[in-house]
Amino acid sequence: MELTSTSFLVTLITVTVLAMLAALLLWNRIPGPGWVRWPARVLMIALCQLTSIAVIATWINGSYGLYASWNDLLGTENAQNSSAMTGPPPGRARFTQGGDGTQSTYFRGSHSKLAGQVIVWTPPEYRAPGAEKTRFPVVVLLHGYPGSPRTWIDLGGMPGTLDQLVRLGAAHPFILVIPDVYPGGVNTDCSNTPARKVASWLAQDVTDLVAKNFRTLPEPGGWGLMGVSTGAFCAAKLPLQYPKVFRAGAALDPDPLTGDPQVLADPVLRERNSPLWLVRQARKADVGLFLATSAQDKDSPPAQLEAFGRAAAGSGVRVKTLIRPSGGHNFQTWTAMYPDALGWLSTELSPPGDGRG
């Protein structure tokens, strides 16, 4: 049972109600002397409190996306993933159909030598009669840290929100690709380091895998990214580093655009992988970036978006910003940004077509 699933929350609520009923029914029926009855009553009270706290904690976690899985909560994901980067090569990767309409695989990239999960969702238009030769634009969704690809589905309301926007005519019917942002459990802010080539994993391995298995539009006009928090930092930097792969990136509440010393300790490596430095080096790049935050988000203050806009002036990079008046660093805020972000991506990326123009 998944940590963020509705069934887990309902189960906890049921256990809490049963614990309270048991305490009410058994309070005066516990046999034995007082030294037996009173400890038993204390245990019943403690059980009621423990289950109530578990319900509240689970509800808060589900609302704010603090932990996306049991591995995130228990800190075991790193231990499981970092032992060896094994997995089938792209040519032997097989996608498994999920009950929620997604397909997933686990493979080892030929460029990065990293292995991780990739989830893909194709819109209903992809399977419509007469669409057998139609190619579709792709949006790569990048989760935050901690997190996992399932975060976008369990907490982020995807792909349902995109499907609704498509029906309203507010967005293209994108193929959604949700890869592991830190394969092996080590966060590098989607950067290539001497030990881990995460940028190559996302911009080469994942894109090659998807392009070979699905009817995608060619790069870069048909490919974009959307990320939240750490994933937003990556969505802002990868189009600048790989303009021949990604035409656009939408960054929702990005981490500091100058880089995080706790992630990349080397100051030169950190600077060369920061969106703020990269946009200053851009020259006539055919890249668009959408940066969004809220006035209340201390982790992603509006001031850094303004600084980025000034740095991008004269670079040729198209920058659009959105600052909402309220909201925290969580999926409640990010889902409210989806219509603007996906609508903007639909203006930057090519619509479905034959891929020839």
Side-chain angles (χ1 to χ4, degrees):
M1 194 176 294
E2 293 292 335
L3 176 64
T4 57
S5 66
T6 302
S7 59
F8 179 63
L9 178 60
V10 171
T11 299
L12 284 178
I13 294 173
T14 302
V15 172
T16 301
V17 172
L18 292 175
M20 294 174 64
L21 289 175
L24 291 172
L25 294 173
L26 300 177
W27 188 264
N28 292 319
R29 298 183 182 182
I30 301 174
W35 63 271
V36 172
R37 294 195 302 273
W38 284 108
R41 289 169 178 169
V42 170
L43 287 175
M44 287 192 295
I45 293 173
L47 179 61
C48 291
Q49 291 179 329
L50 180 63
T51 54
S52 299
I53 291 171
V55 168
I56 295 171
T58 301
W59 177 80
I60 292 174
N61 182 67
S63 299
Y64 293 95
L66 303 177
Y67 298 96
S69 65
W70 290 108
N71 286 333
D72 284 342
L73 177 64
L74 301 175
T76 58
E77 190 162 30
N78 288 10
Q80 290 179 354
N81 291 341
S82 61
S83 57
M85 302 306 288
T86 59
R92 295 211 306 269
R94 294 292 178 266
F95 282 88
T96 302
Q97 189 72 42
D100 53 8
T102 63
Q103 302 176 58
S104 64
T105 189
Y106 186 93
F107 83 108
R108 183 173 186 263
S110 57
H111 296 280
S112 67
K113 310 306 179 185
L114 298 175
Q117 183 186 31
V118 178
I119 299 175
V120 177
W121 177 82
T122 56
E125 293 80 2
Y126 187 92
R127 300 175 298 279
E132 293 81 5
K133 295 183 179 180
T134 303
R135 295 185 172 273
F136 287 77
V138 179
V139 170
V140 181
L141 300 179
L142 304 177
H143 60 80
Y145 182 85
S148 71
R150 288 290 312 182
T151 304
W152 280 100
I153 299 169
D154 296 334
L155 301 178
M158 287 294 186
T161 302
L162 172 61
D163 197 26
Q164 292 175 2
L165 291 172
V166 172
R167 294 175 187 275
L168 293 172
H172 288 333
F174 295 113
I175 294 173
L176 296 182
V177 177
I178 318 176
D180 193 338
V181 171
Y182 42 93
V186 178
N187 179 27
T188 70
D189 275 347
C190 303
S191 304
N192 281 350
T193 70
R196 292 178 181 274
K197 299 185 182 300
V198 179
S200 296
W201 157 258
L202 294 169
Q204 295 176 281
D205 293 329
V206 171
T207 55
D208 287 352
L209 173 78
V210 174
K212 289 176 181 178
N213 286 275
F214 298 89
R215 300 193 312 274
T216 65
L217 287 174
E219 303 167 347
W223 288 72
L225 308 110
M226 185 168 80
V228 297
S229 192
T230 298
F233 176 95
C234 301
K237 92 181 190 77
L238 289 175
L240 297 171
Q241 288 183 314
Y242 297 90
K244 294 183 179 180
V245 179
F246 302 112
R247 174 64 53 79
L252 312 184
D253 285 358
D255 286 351
L257 297 173
T258 53
D260 187 348
Q262 295 183 343
V263 175
L264 296 177
D266 184 333
V268 175
L269 183 64
R270 181 171 66 252
E271 180 188 52
R272 299 301 170 88
N273 280 279
S274 69
L276 194 61
W277 185 87
L278 288 166
V279 78
R280 288 174 175 151
Q281 317 309 312
R283 293 293 181 269
K284 299 180 179 180
D286 186 12
V287 167
L289 295 176
F290 176 91
L291 306 178
T293 189
S294 76
Q296 295 179 327
D297 192 343
K298 297 180 180 179
D299 294 320
S300 185
Q304 75 161 344
L305 272 60
E306 297 167 0
F308 186 87
R310 291 192 297 269
S315 67
V317 176
R318 301 176 297 279
V319 178
K320 181 178 177 60
T321 59
L322 170 68
I323 299 176
R324 295 180 60 86
S326 62
H329 202 75
N330 54 60
F331 265 108
Q332 289 182 332
T333 300
W334 301 329
T335 53
M337 296 173 176
Y338 287 175
D340 293 286
L342 291 168
W344 175 85
L345 282 167
S346 298
T347 66
E348 289 285 328
L349 303 181
S350 301
D354 58 16
R356 292 182 293 183

